[in-house]
Amino acid sequence: MTWHPHITVATIVEVDGRFLMVEESIGGRLVLNQPAGHLEPNETLRQAAIRETLEETGWDITLTGVIGVYLYTAPSNGVTYQRICFAATPVRHHPQRALDTGIVGAPWVTREELVAQPERWRSELILRCIDDYLAGPSYDLDVIRD
């Protein structure tokens, strides 16, 4: 068997202490995650983050920095993910836009609301990324070389 890590992107979008999240149905249960997804062929990491956020939340964003690069092996399936997490600001919402399959909504939640419901986290990375964002600083987008 050949081992292949999955390259993913995620965005932290925060307004007045509330974070844009994705509520999605995974394995019959509703979980919360940042707007996130896999890098697609012929796409840059920045393009992937912007695309995934729009597809999953209906929000156009502007990337403002890089929070960090995370290596995570999911205990549920043993798959290893490399996540590049970006900070972003919301620009424009498209409320009539259909969201990706399986996505129920895109709520804005506080850190405290997330902490109160760890059973709903898609993975532990969601709180780690938010805490790293809050602790600062973020890195300049130029650290990503396309």
Side-chain angles (χ1 to χ4, degrees):
M1 181 169 109
T2 305
W3 177 76
H4 295 285
H6 295 248
I7 299 173
T8 62
V9 295
T11 58
I12 302 290
V13 183
E14 184 258 343
V15 174
D16 297 329
R18 300 187 84 74
F19 297 91
L20 180 61
M21 301 299 290
V22 172
E23 186 175 37
E24 57 189 328
S25 179
I26 303 289
R29 61 185 200 117
L30 290 178
V31 298
L32 294 169
N33 196 13
Q34 274 97 20
H38 290 82
L39 180 68
E40 293 185 355
N42 303 311
E43 182 175 54
T44 68
L45 293 167
R46 292 177 205 182
Q47 290 168 338
I50 291 167
R51 174 187 53 77
E52 286 288 353
T53 303
L54 178 61
E55 290 176 354
E56 293 188 349
T57 69
W59 278 93
D60 289 322
I61 58 166
T62 298
L63 299 177
T64 59
V66 177
I67 302 303
V69 179
Y70 303 81
L71 194 61
Y72 175 75
T73 301
S76 61
N77 60 15
V79 173
T80 299
Y81 299 90
Q82 182 179 42
R83 174 189 264 207
I84 297 85
C85 187
F86 292 89
T89 57
V91 175
R92 182 174 162 215
H93 188 223
H94 304 274
Q96 303 308 316
R97 181 183 172 90
L99 303 180
D100 275 355
T101 302
I103 296 181
V104 176
W108 292 84
V109 300
T110 65
R111 182 188 181 282
E112 292 73 26
E113 289 168 333
L114 282 172
V115 168
Q117 46 189 333
E119 70 283 355
R120 294 200 57 213
W121 300 351
R122 174 90 186 256
S123 82
E124 66 192 39
L125 287 179
I126 67 169
L127 194 61
R128 284 183 61 198
C129 290
I130 287 173
D131 285 347
D132 288 348
Y133 165 83
L134 291 170
S138 65
Y139 301 94
D140 193 279
L141 288 169
D142 289 338
V143 75
I144 303 292
R145 308 274 189 210
D146 296 322

